[in-house]
Amino acid sequence: MSIHFDFQPDPARARALDRRMYVELGRSLRHVSEQCLGRYPFDARAMDALCIALESGTRYPATTFARYYDLVVALLSDDLAAAAGHHTRLAEEQPLPEGQHAGPLDESERSECYRLRMSADMGPDLTVNVPQAGVGAAFTQRFEQGMALLRQGAPSLAAEVEAIVHEVVGVAGGPDDVGEFHGGSHFQLWGALFLNAALHETRIAMAEVIAHESAHSLLFSFCTEEALVLNDDAEIYPSPLRADLRPMDGIYHATFVSARMHWAMQQLLESGVLTGEEIREAKAAAATDRENFEAGYRVVAEHGRLTRHGHLLMQGAREYMDAVGA
């Protein structure tokens, strides 16, 4: 299907975007591997099989994307020994099982890859760690409750999330952290979403953070052909979801996802499935989401240099917020 830029969740579009991520990874990995033939030994047959699977749209773990990026960085640095190691690890990757998996970070090599990749962009004040056993188990249950609520009250969003988020990982902060990690994703870890296992204690809070973080992943999936903003990362501005100044790309993301969070809360409020307390919580969340959207939109409208894709996606968010009213 052709990829449209409508604001509303679309499970079919999400499946197409997800498939494109794997196809593009397979094509790029094939090109890189072909250029490496004869430079150092690696299992070319295994790499060919992996590329064929990816090019057919077969889902692989987020580690496959991470190791591809590691391979490219090693090659750009002319570190052939490291590149050979990344090729070896890529050849060991196995397809994902069907469905969406949720669970806590653990001590596995996979989790270490996730921890290092997420921590690298967070600075020294925030860390990603393995949660205590009881916290991790409770998180998994709360996540399933949040997804169940979305399936009831916002089924198109739930189906979109299931199409692009294959693994949900509960994490813990560290004792010396300044601030608190709520959730995140990484463009080099496609298909994985990370949430603080100790937070998001209600169904509404969990549903909203799922809408939040999955919207970041959705935006990542639109960037295979072009970026969303053209502003240099050195240009920093006030952000609606952060106290510190942020590059325009981060502000763009925060603004768009605020509209998606509002949409999720509005759908749940209109669904008739919420309790009295949940209605109050969802209304308060929606009000905050609107404030954050408007604050971010003012910055994007004044300073953002958007690509065609970036303009179309933000225009859809603006039109939704205008149509739904205060």
Side-chain angles (χ1 to χ4, degrees), residues 13 24 29 74 82 85 106 109 134 143 146 154 183 186 237 252 298 300 306 309 312-313 322 326:
R13 176 183 64 181
E24 291 300 321
L29 180 58
D106 55 32
E109 182 181 358
F143 173 79
H186 198 294
Y237 305 95
Y252 182 101
R298 287 192 292 271
V300 173
L306 308 187
H309 291 181
L312 289 172
L313 288 166
D322 288 344

Side-chain angles (χ1 to χ4, degrees), residues 89-108:
R89 282 183 282 277
L90 277 164
E92 297 169 349
E93 292 287 305
Q94 296 297 316
L96 281 170
E98 290 296 320
Q100 187 181 71
H101 172 75
L105 197 73
D106 55 32
E107 302 291 348
S108 66

Side-chain angles (χ1 to χ4, degrees), residues 208 212 238-243 250-262 284-300 314 317-318 321:
E208 189 182 37
H212 177 164
S239 174
L241 299 182
R242 295 274 293 266
I251 298 168
Y252 182 101
H253 267 250
T255 303
F256 181 88
V257 304
S258 292
R260 269 305 187 92
M261 293 156 72
H262 186 281
T288 299
D289 295 335
R290 175 174 285 280
E291 290 176 6
N292 288 334
F293 173 82
E294 297 297 348
Y297 187 81
R298 287 192 292 271
V299 177
V300 173
M314 188 58 70
R318 176 74 270 175
M321 297 300 289

Side-chain angles (χ1 to χ4, degrees), residues 52-234:
I52 289 172
L54 290 167
E55 289 164 347
S56 71
T58 302
R59 290 174 170 176
Y60 274 75
T63 49
T64 311
F65 288 83
R67 285 163 182 157
Y68 160 79
Y69 282 103
D70 288 340
L71 170 62
V72 171
V73 169
L75 291 171
L76 290 174
S77 303
D78 204 30
D79 188 344
L80 300 189
H86 298 313
H87 251 132
T88 296
R89 282 183 282 277
L90 277 164
E92 297 169 349
E93 292 287 305
Q94 296 297 316
L96 281 170
E98 290 296 320
Q100 187 181 71
H101 172 75
L105 197 73
D106 55 32
E107 302 291 348
S108 66
E109 182 181 358
R110 168 197 62 92
S111 283
E112 182 65 4
C113 173
Y114 292 172
R115 188 187 67 78
L116 291 174
R117 193 62 48 121
M118 290 298 295
S119 297
D121 288 349
M122 295 169 67
D125 295 337
L126 289 175
T127 57
V128 172
N129 302 283
V130 176
Q132 296 179 355
V135 173
F139 158 77
T140 303
Q141 183 178 27
R142 291 199 315 279
F143 173 79
E144 295 298 344
Q145 290 170 346
M147 280 299 297
L149 179 61
L150 288 175
R151 292 187 194 103
Q152 278 187 291
S156 62
L157 177 59
E160 180 180 89
V161 173
E162 290 169 336
I164 62 176
V165 176
H166 314 311
E167 185 175 11
V168 182
V169 185
V171 304
D176 299 322
D177 286 1
V178 177
E180 195 167 42
F181 174 78
H182 286 249
S185 53
H186 198 294
F187 73 96
Q188 295 183 6
L189 293 172
W190 174 255
L193 188 153
F194 302 84
L195 299 176
N196 189 317
L199 302 182
H200 323 301
E201 296 182 350
T202 68
R203 294 201 305 168
I204 294 296
M206 183 61 76
E208 189 182 37
V209 78
I210 292 170
H212 177 164
E213 298 303 341
S214 66
H216 285 298
S217 293
L218 180 69
L219 290 178
F220 290 150
S221 71
F222 277 106
C223 295
T224 57
E225 296 178 355
E226 66 178 32
L228 300 177
V229 304
L230 299 175
N231 299 69
D232 192 277
D233 282 348

